[in-house]
Structures are given as structure tokens and as C-alpha cells.
Amino acid sequence: MNPDHLATQPLDDVDVHVLDTIADILRAGDPVPAGLVDEVKFALTMQALHAEVAELQALGVDTAAARSAEYSHTQTLTFGAEALSVMITLSPLDDDTVRIDGWVTGHDGTVSIELRAGTRTLGATTDADGRFIIDPAPRGLVRFVFTPEGEVRPVITPTVEI
Amino acid sequence: MTEHTAEGLATRAAGCFRAYVDGDAAAMDRLVDLLTPILWHTARAQGAGEATAQDAVQTAWLRLVERAGTIREAQAVMGWLIVTVRRECWRLQRAQSRTDHELDETRPDPRPDPATVTVRHAEHILLWSHVEKLDARCQALLRVIAFADRPDYAAVSEALKMPLGSIGPTRGRCLAKLRASLTDDPAWGGAL
């Protein structure tokens, strides 16, 4: 068959079947990563709210071990933003979970906290001293969203491994 | 060609985009659901690794919202996103090739990666072997076209800088090559 001639002909059912099959092959073999759609929607929401991105200022204790997600000691993370600062202490519970003790400073009122871990979201609120606890929290790649009461603009952290 | 609706993916995307611009915030979520698969495969067809492909897709969506006010023709939104993903992949891949010692996972795949595509059924194996014989640009085009609808063929080809050069839903060079290759293979007839 001559491809030049075929190229100018209209698509037929066989072409549609061929393209459908290519799509099936790719859907099975190279699927859209789980969580990508949610991550995009989250990023768009944060953009719409003009979220401030906090900076990871300090990674305490076992930096190297924490990166490998096999740490067994307590470690701390510190995030800084214009609106507030946060210190987070991670205490391993088991292979899959950690306890998170957090302390938000720089904002007088209540702050609501969202922990985004893959497709899961966990919530917490600060007490009168600005402290909060998330226990248990799943290990893995996460990011935090802090929304001070009465404010529209949240503070989000970069993705970190806990 | 996921769904054979008469109106095509670009038209459905245009409907969501218009609703979003008119103030329906949830319409953006519907648009993200609708187009993220074709954008993911656009990035992967450019040879982007997983992390790069995810970044490129996310960046394209953020840009769309930033520039929503400047996009006059809603029908062009799908093409605009495909072009943006393609350019973003290209930019990220160039940046990575300059710092080649970086993390493996952010490195682009060495080629549009049929290697990672697990092919199971006999018909799939046969078809994929013919797809792999095409030049890289044709493979890239077909991998994206496969996620569009029939009326979108010309717009997608244009967005991938491989215009069909004719009006109407013709096969175009890449699909014609694949078709000729399949027709010449006696094994293919039985697979249909």
C-alpha cells in the first residue's frame, strides 16, 4: 500500500480502532500517575488563593537518614514565611507512620493545618499556644497548608519527606 | 480516540473553559479531569521522564489560569495546553541535559519510552511493534492523537508542529505509514 495515497484519504473505522488500541496500550502501560489530577487541582486552588510558599529553613538531626525515610530518631523541620513560621517535630511510630508535633509562631489567632499526603488529607488546628498534633501521620512525601483564621491567603510548604 | 462524541475533546474543553471564565470555578476542575490524560501523554511522547512530565503538565495548567483572560478563542484551549506542555518539556529537558549529574528520576527517558509500556495482548504486541517502526515524530504524534477525538486530529497535529497539510479529517502521513505497515503484515488481518 502506498502511504502517500493513504495519507490523503479520510479516517475510517480501522484507523479509529488502531488509535483506540494505541490509547489502551498506553493507558495500561504508561498510566497518568495517581494523584496528578489532584495535585494539579490543589496547585490551581493555591494559585487562586495567592498562597505564600514557605521556605524550608532547617532540617534538624538526622538529615541524611530522613532523606532515606528509614530514620528512627526524632527530627525537626522549620519553615519560614512572611505570615508565620512553623517548627515541626517528627517522632517515628512504626515503618508507616509518624507523630507530628507542630508549633506555629508569628500569628496570634488560630491556624488550621492541612497535611496533604498523596491523595489523603489530614487536618488539625492550633491551640492557644500555637501548637498542634497530627498523630498518626503517614510517612512519605507530604506538604503542609497553613491557613490563619480570618485570612484567605494560605501558606504552603514545599514537598518534604517525613 | 477515547470517546467518539461528535463534538470532540477540544469542543468539550472549550465549553468548560467558557464556563470557568464566566465564573464557574468548578468548571476548571472538569477541564483538568478532561485534558490531563492527553497532556500527560503529550509530555511522555516528548520523551519526558515521569517527574518532568508531571512538572510540565502542572506548569501548563498554572499558566492557563494565569493567562485565562488573554485567551480569546476557547476552542483553542486544548491546543494551547498541548503546545505549552511540549515547550515546557523541551525547556526542562534542556535544563536537565546541562546538569546531567542530577537525580536519575528527573532525567528524561532516552527515547519516547515504549520500553516502559507493558504490552500484554497479542493484538497489542503486534500493533505496538508496528508503531515502534515509525520515526520518532510520528510515534509522538500518534501517542497524543490516540487520546483525542476524531474532530481534534487536525488541531492536535498543528499543536505538535506536524500539520496535516490538508483540510478535513484525513489520515495524515503518520497514520498512513502505520496503516500501510499493518496492511503489509499478514499477521495483522487476523488481529482485527
Side-chain angles (χ1 to χ4, degrees):
Chain A
M1 282 245 197
N2 178 357
D4 289 340
H5 173 62
L6 281 172
T8 57
Q9 287 182 337
L11 287 172
D12 63 20
D13 290 347
V14 176
D15 297 307
V16 172
H17 172 74
V18 164
L19 289 170
D20 280 346
T21 309
I22 291 174
D24 285 344
I25 290 168
L26 292 173
R27 253 185 235 113
D30 186 20
V32 179
L36 177 58
V37 164
D38 282 341
E39 192 57 35
V40 166
K41 289 176 182 174
F42 171 70
L44 291 174
T45 305
M46 289 300 115
Q47 179 177 252
L49 296 173
H50 303 287
E52 183 187 0
V53 180
E55 210 175 301
L56 177 60
Q57 292 178 326
L59 196 60
V61 198
D62 299 338
T63 309
R67 289 233 176 270
S68 71
E70 284 169 357
Y71 62 91
S72 54
H73 306 296
T74 300
Q75 61 144 352
T76 58
L77 303 170
T78 310
F79 296 103
E82 245 177 70
L84 46 80
S85 299
V86 186
M87 193 172 100
I88 284 167
T89 305
L90 303 168
S91 314
L93 296 170
D94 55 38
D95 287 350
D96 303 318
T97 55
V98 292
R99 172 189 162 108
I100 296 173
D101 288 274
W103 185 25
V104 179
T105 54
H107 180 81
D108 292 336
T110 307
V111 176
S112 66
I113 298 107
E114 227 186 286
L115 173 72
R116 296 180 54 90
T119 51
R120 287 181 65 190
T121 302
L122 300 174
T125 311
T126 54
D127 65 14
D129 299 323
R131 295 181 187 275
F132 68 91
I133 296 166
I134 300 174
D135 180 19
R139 285 192 180 187
L141 293 173
V142 302
R143 69 202 303 183
F144 294 89
V145 185
F146 301 96
T147 311
E149 195 180 47
E151 301 257 345
V152 179
R153 196 178 176 208
V155 172
I156 59 171
T157 69
T159 301
V160 291
E161 186 158 13
I162 65 168
Chain B
M1 299 221 165
T2 46
E3 288 170 44
H4 305 297
T5 51
E7 55 179 9
L9 199 54
T11 301
R12 281 182 287 152
C16 292
F17 185 71
R18 263 186 231 108
Y20 167 74
V21 171
D22 289 345
D24 176 3
M28 183 51 72
D29 279 359
R30 295 199 296 276
L31 189 57
V32 170
D33 288 333
L34 189 66
L35 293 185
T36 294
I38 196 173
L39 297 179
W40 167 255
H41 289 286
T42 298
R44 297 290 278 167
Q46 303 297 311
E50 263 195 59
T52 303
Q54 297 206 41
D55 282 355
V57 170
Q58 186 159 328
T59 300
W61 283 114
L62 291 169
R63 296 243 171 90
L64 175 70
V65 169
E66 272 166 27
R67 288 167 203 186
T70 67
I71 296 174
R72 295 231 167 78
E73 186 48 65
Q75 190 69 27
V77 158
M78 184 178 80
W80 188 93
L81 282 164
I82 289 173
V83 169
T84 306
V85 166
R86 191 172 54 77
R87 287 190 185 146
E88 191 60 18
C89 284
W90 185 74
R91 193 186 67 76
L92 290 168
Q93 285 168 328
R94 262 183 27 142
Q96 279 158 10
S97 64
R98 279 197 295 267
T99 53
D100 213 75
H101 54 279
E102 272 187 27
L103 290 172
D104 274 341
E105 61 174 11
T106 61
R107 222 179 262 173
D109 297 340
R111 60 190 176 123
D113 62 296
T116 68
V117 175
T118 320
V119 185
R120 290 195 185 85
H121 310 293
E123 188 202 356
H124 291 185
I125 293 167
L126 179 64
L127 174 56
W128 200 251
S129 71
H130 285 276
V131 171
E132 283 185 296
K133 278 191 237 158
L134 300 172
D135 61 76
R137 277 165 63 83
C138 275
Q139 286 191 39
L141 176 71
L142 294 181
R143 288 174 74 136
V144 181
I145 289 285
F147 287 88
D149 295 322
R150 197 188 295 223
D152 304 314
Y153 198 3
V156 172
S157 306
E158 191 79 38
L160 293 172
K161 284 266 182 289
M162 298 188 70
L164 293 176
S166 71
I167 298 157
T170 57
R171 246 178 228 123
R173 184 174 68 86
C174 297
L175 196 50
K177 271 195 196 164
L178 177 60
R179 189 66 183 271
S181 166
L182 288 167
T183 309
D184 288 345
D185 182 348
W188 172 249
L192 254 182

